[in-house]
Structure formats: C-alpha cells, structure tokens
Amino acid sequence: MKNKREENLWKRLTKNWGLKIGSILFAIALWLVVVNVNDPTIKVTFANIPVTIENVDVITSQGMIYEVLNETDVVPRVSVYAPKSIAQNIDKNDIVAVADMNNLNSLNAISIDYSVSRYGSRISDISGSIDAVKVNIENRKTIQKVLETNVIGDAPAGYMVGNVTTDQNLVRVSGPESVVNRVESAVVSVDMSTLSGFTNDITTSVPVIFYDADGNVVTGNTLEKRPENVMITIEILSTKEVPITFDTAMAPADGYGLNGVILGTPQTVTLAGRKSVLNAVEEIKVPAEALDVTNATADTALMVNVANYLPEGTAFADKTFNGYISVVVGVEKEITEEFEMTDRKVSLINVPDDYTYELEGLDEEFMISVTGIGSVVRDISEKSLTAYFDVNAWLEKGEITELLPGRYPIELIVNLPEYSRMHTPLLATLVVTEIQTEEDAEQND
C-alpha cells in the first residue's frame, strides 16, 4: 500500500517535467529583470588614474634602476561596471591600479591590476585603457660634478656683478647610466632681470640644472641630485670711470729731453668696488718708473700694466680687460741757445725789512744760455725773460734765522718755460747792509 502511494507521488512530481523547469527559469529571469529595472548595471569612467608600482626592491636591490616609459604609469581611462546604486557613489580616489614588479615580463612590461577599494565584489567589471606599465631598466650610476654659476643679464646702471659664490661646490647626480652619462655640467643660474633694483649683495636659493655637451638640459623622472637647490650669493659693486694720469717719465738719452707728451690708450678705465671706496678714487696715477725711456732718442711707445696701480679694494669693471694700455712718451732732441737780458729785468722778491738788500755782479746787459727741447727753446722770446731772487725762500732753505750784513753769492732764478733749463747758472751777489737811521746818519756826519 505504502509503495503504491510513493509511486503515485513520484508520478505527479515528474509529470510535465519540462514545464516545471521552464517555470523555474522564467521566475529567475523575471527576478533579474525586476532587479535590473530597479538597480541597473551602468558604466562609469575615470581619467588619469595613477599606477602604484610595488616591490621595486626586486630591481633596486640589484643595483639597477627603472624608468617608466611613455607615461604608462598614468592610465588615461578606467571604466567601471557596477549597479547604479554603487556606481554613482564611486569617485576617482576609489580606483586602485597596481603594477607588481614581480610580474615584470621579458618585454619590460608590468601588468596592471585594477580594483575599486570600497566596493570590491559588488563591482561587475573594471578595465583600463592600458594593461601594462612599460619600463626601461638600467644600471644605476652616481657621479659628482663641480658646481658652476651663471649670471644672466646686468646689474642696474652704475653697478656690476662682482664675485658669485655658492654654499656648495659639488653636486651628486644619480640615475640610469645612459642618462647620467649625458651630464656634462651642473649649473646654477640667476637672471638679473628678475632681481631688478638690487644695489646690494643678493643671496637666494637656486635649483641645480644639468646640461649635456651641447648645452641641452638633461632631465629624467628618476634622475636624482643632491643637493637639489643651493644658496647663491651675488656681490653687487658700484662702478666709476676714472682717468689714467702720469707723473712724468724717466729722463731719456743724453742730449734729449721729454716734451711733456704722454698719451695713454685708453685714457680712462671703469673701476668696480664698494661705493665707499670708489668715492675716494679720482684717478689711476702711473709713476715715472713705469715709463722707462732712458735710452730713447725719439717718441717711444710702451706697454704699461695699470693693474699694478689700482687703488686697494677696486678692480676693473670689464673682466676681459687685462690692465695693459699703450703709452706714447714724447722725446725730442735738446738744443742750447743764448738770449740777451738786462739788469732791469732782475728783481728781489719777498725781502725782509730788517736790512737793506741789493744785487751786484750783473752787467747792465748780459747773456744767458738756455738748454731744452728744440720746440720749446726756439719759441722763447727775449722780451718775456725775467729773473728773480726770493730772499725769504733762500733764508728758509738755508735755515738762516739771523742774517748778518755782508756779501753773499747767490743763483738767480730765470723764468723759463717748461722743458727748458739754464745751461749755466746765472750768478750774482746779494749785498746785505744795515738800515741807517737819521741818528746814525748825523753821527756819521
């Protein structure tokens, strides 16, 4: 009896088997339709998603370094498929892109794994516009370079750039061997146009820039420099144009004389220094010993280094100027000529009033001999010639505090033009007598 009931039950369950399965599938499909109608799956897209590269020590521990190629560590576009209720809450920060260096293949590409941090399994699908980070792997190299300075432009008018110093002399650069090998120089540059108006020393922080042999900037994401920035100090100096002057020159050969012409080229130079120093500088004076024409018998050209005579604390503003100037010293043959004078053109000057002073020993008319360069001596006019004797100067020079009456031999000074002199001295006698009072005169009578 029991078996019969079980058999009938089984027949009812298996009756219309296909219809029952179809009903189940239809129910499932209907459920999915209802779900998707209420919370459909949608696609959201995010741009420029950075890729985190993990386990880089796989490369660096071997003394190697990697460089990402073609910016493949930033994914241009990542698409996420998720129910609308989820998708509308996803933002860019939820997108995770990871490239594990352990997955580096023979083509130097690292596959990228995408995920959404907050929603994990509730995401239907996620994909990126690129599927791998491409890298270049090389030996790591480190070198040192002496730091160079470069000042672009000029200081304000009336000023110039002096010494340029940095707080570091060396810079270290590390990176891929092929990139580091290109580094020819390490330079810090300052553009003076960005510092216009500065008239005092400038100290500022400046980045170190690497250049190759052709002057092109060497860059690279994996290129490291230590230090990255240095402090640079630029000395700002005042400038001043001053003339070059000459004391005189050494005497030329016997029978020749200087004619006073000393012409330097250039005639002026521009000096640089602290303003307080330059204010006291009016000229650069070249001494006679720098103009040696001892054997000259005609105009003589010399090269003189005026750098030897720069005032302390100054320098040439033009750093390309080596200090040498060309100097021409005028030299002429000397001649001797005689001129007639009269005693009326001879006088005593600065005569004390304690005695009577008179000159003796001169004829009413006499001749003098004058030696000097020809161009000067030939222009002397007899009418212009005079002579004198300065009594006070004579007393002071001889340190005579008390002069007694008597007769004293003296040398008269003739007013001669420059670059001429007396060939032979003009001598006379100074007669000093006591001043006679009226009482003395009566006693003598």
Side-chain angles (χ1 to χ4, degrees):
M1 186 72 176
K2 182 179 179 181
N3 289 337
K4 189 168 183 68
R5 283 198 303 268
E6 289 177 355
E7 183 179 346
N8 291 334
L9 178 61
W10 174 250
K11 286 181 179 181
R12 287 196 298 270
L13 289 174
T14 56
K15 187 178 181 179
N16 300 320
W17 179 256
L19 180 60
K20 291 178 180 179
I21 292 175
S23 297
I24 293 171
L25 292 177
F26 176 76
I28 293 172
L30 181 61
W31 178 83
L32 289 174
V33 169
V34 172
V35 169
N36 281 323
V37 168
N38 292 331
D39 194 10
T41 297
I42 63 172
K43 171 185 174 183
V44 288
T45 303
F46 302 91
N48 299 323
I49 302 300
V51 180
T52 301
I53 301 178
E54 296 181 341
N55 296 317
V56 295
D57 57 334
V58 172
I59 296 298
T60 57
S61 64
Q62 302 178 49
M64 310 287 282
I65 191 169
Y66 73 92
E67 182 177 15
V68 175
L69 300 178
N70 304 323
E71 299 182 350
T72 52
D73 58 345
V74 177
V75 183
R77 187 176 65 260
V78 173
S79 299
V80 178
Y81 297 84
K84 183 177 180 179
S85 60
I86 300 299
Q88 63 187 4
N89 292 319
I90 298 173
D91 63 30
K92 183 176 180 178
N93 295 328
D94 294 321
I95 309 303
V96 178
V98 175
D100 191 332
M101 192 66 78
N102 285 312
N103 297 326
L104 179 70
N105 63 28
S106 60
L107 299 177
N108 284 344
I110 314 167
S111 59
I112 302 173
D113 291 328
Y114 296 101
S115 62
V116 179
S117 59
R118 287 193 295 164
Y119 298 102
S121 61
R122 302 183 66 181
I123 303 302
S124 301
D125 192 18
I126 181 171
S127 62
S129 56
I130 59 175
D131 57 7
V133 175
K134 297 179 180 179
V135 295
N136 177 55
I137 297 176
E138 294 186 47
N139 290 324
R140 182 184 183 88
K141 184 174 182 179
T142 300
I143 61 173
Q144 281 188 330
K145 286 291 181 179
V146 176
L147 194 60
E148 302 175 17
T149 59
N150 179 35
V151 177
I152 304 167
D154 300 317
Y159 296 86
M160 68 166 289
V161 173
N163 293 325
V164 179
T165 57
T166 58
D167 64 347
Q168 301 285 334
N169 295 323
L170 295 174
V171 62
R172 177 174 295 186
V173 53
S174 299
E177 186 174 22
S178 63
V179 179
V180 172
N181 285 342
R182 291 176 52 210
V183 176
E184 184 70 19
S185 59
V187 182
V188 286
S189 299
V190 174
D191 188 345
M192 293 300 294
S193 65
T194 64
L195 305 171
S196 59
F198 281 86
T199 57
N200 295 314
D201 293 355
I202 301 166
T203 299
T204 186
S205 178
V206 182
V208 178
I209 306 297
F210 296 123
Y211 294 90
D212 63 19
D214 297 323
N216 300 312
V217 176
V218 179
T219 59
N221 294 333
T222 56
L223 201 62
E224 299 176 4
K225 51 188 173 184
R226 292 289 183 273
E228 292 190 357
N229 296 272
V230 299
M231 297 301 295
I232 185 170
T233 298
I234 303 172
E235 183 182 37
I236 303 297
L237 301 175
S238 296
T239 60
K240 184 178 183 179
E241 186 176 11
V242 297
I244 301 171
T245 63
F246 306 91
D247 273 347
T248 182
M250 300 179 71
D254 290 342
Y256 293 83
L258 303 174
N259 63 11
V261 175
I262 304 179
L263 180 62
T265 303
Q267 297 179 346
T268 65
V269 293
T270 301
L271 300 182
R274 296 297 183 186
K275 194 169 186 177
S276 58
V277 174
L278 290 183
N279 284 341
V281 178
E282 297 299 329
E283 62 183 357
I284 297 177
K285 181 166 286 188
V286 178
E289 55 264 26
L291 304 176
D292 187 357
V293 291
T294 51
N295 296 317
T297 59
D299 291 352
T300 302
L302 304 169
M303 294 300 294
V304 177
N305 187 0
V306 295
N308 296 328
Y309 313 108
L310 287 181
E312 187 175 357
T314 67
F316 296 120
D318 182 359
K319 294 181 180 180
T320 64
F321 179 52
N322 62 8
Y324 281 91
I325 66 170
S326 173
V327 182
V328 176
V329 179
V331 176
E332 290 186 35
K333 187 173 180 59
E334 291 186 330
I335 62 173
T336 300
E337 290 192 6
E338 292 191 341
F339 299 90
E340 185 177 53
M341 288 187 67
T342 67
D343 60 359
R344 295 189 304 275
K345 292 187 174 183
V346 181
S347 61
L348 292 174
I349 63 173
N350 297 323
V351 180
D353 56 8
D354 53 353
Y355 291 99
T356 298
Y357 298 86
E358 295 179 347
L359 285 174
E360 291 183 355
L362 292 176
D363 295 333
E364 185 177 345
E365 295 180 352
F366 55 91
M367 302 297 293
I368 62 170
S369 295
V370 178
T371 297
I373 60 175
S375 60
V376 171
V377 173
R378 281 189 286 269
D379 283 345
I380 294 176
S381 169
E382 287 185 344
K383 293 181 179 180
S384 65
L385 290 175
T386 61
Y388 68 92
F389 184 74
D390 188 330
V391 179
N392 273 340
W394 174 65
L395 293 174
E396 290 176 2
K397 183 177 181 181
E399 298 182 352
I400 302 171
T401 58
E402 184 178 356
L403 184 65
L404 298 176
R407 301 170 65 85
Y408 298 91
I410 60 172
E411 180 179 344
L412 299 174
I413 297 174
V414 180
N415 289 313
L416 293 174
E418 195 175 11
Y419 307 111
S420 66
R421 64 187 183 278
M422 293 294 293
H423 185 67
T424 55
L426 178 58
L427 304 177
T429 300
L430 178 66
V431 180
V432 182
T433 58
E434 292 184 2
I435 297 175
Q436 191 175 34
T437 65
E438 291 182 3
E439 183 179 350
D440 293 337
E442 291 176 357
Q443 290 178 356
N444 290 338
D445 290 342

